Amino acid sequence: MTGDEYAPVPPLKAGLGCRCPRCGRGRLYSGLLTVAPKCSECGLDYSPHDSGDGPAVFVMFILCALVIPFVFWLELALTPPYWVHVVIWPPVVLILAIVLLRPAKALLVALHYKNLRHKYDGGN
Ligand SMILES: [Zn+2]
């Protein structure tokens, strides 16, 4: 089946659900952040739709805007010893980065597929 035989899947829906950008049913990831080689439902080859480092840059900026105010608030309001910052913030940043990176990466893959599907899907 080519991409024209599937109902269009909104990139936001495919991205937030971490689903295939063509059929909207197959899982995009085969691991935590590893994109599967192809869709298990429609067979779409994901390899041309590489998001590169783009999602990581977006997530870094978003995380910085989210976490830094809390770091300053904690420091100014409670003035804890430095080891408290060392214990709290690395796990918070790591968990939030993974939580945000999955849909961000899936969204960029879905946008890449939507805008360049004619190049990779159907041959036109
Ligand atoms: Zn699919």
Side-chain angles (χ1 to χ4, degrees):
M1 291 177 81
T2 65
D4 294 334
E5 299 168 20
Y6 291 92
V9 178
L12 195 59
K13 181 180 177 186
L16 292 180
C18 298
R19 296 294 173 180
C20 170
R22 180 162 74 181
C23 67
R25 293 188 310 265
R27 292 177 184 260
L28 184 67
Y29 294 106
S30 62
L32 187 61
L33 291 171
T34 305
V35 175
K38 65 179 187 174
C39 177
S40 59
E41 298 291 324
C42 70
L44 174 66
D45 182 13
Y46 293 144
S47 60
H49 307 288
D50 184 16
S51 62
D53 293 334
V57 173
F58 287 125
V59 167
M60 281 185 343
F61 286 129
I62 292 168
L63 265 180
C64 192
L66 289 175
V67 172
I68 293 299
F70 288 106
V71 172
F72 278 109
W73 172 81
L74 181 66
E75 179 61 28
L76 295 175
L78 304 175
T79 317
Y82 289 127
W83 65 265
V84 172
H85 291 289
V86 172
V87 169
I88 291 175
W89 300 119
V92 168
V93 168
L94 183 65
I95 291 169
L96 285 176
I98 292 171
V99 166
L100 291 175
L101 200 51
R102 281 179 62 91
K105 192 172 183 177
L107 178 61
L108 284 189
V109 168
L111 287 171
H112 188 269
Y113 174 76
K114 180 185 179 200
N115 292 313
L116 294 175
R117 67 187 269 185
H118 63 279
K119 191 173 175 182
Y120 302 106
D121 199 20
N124 294 330

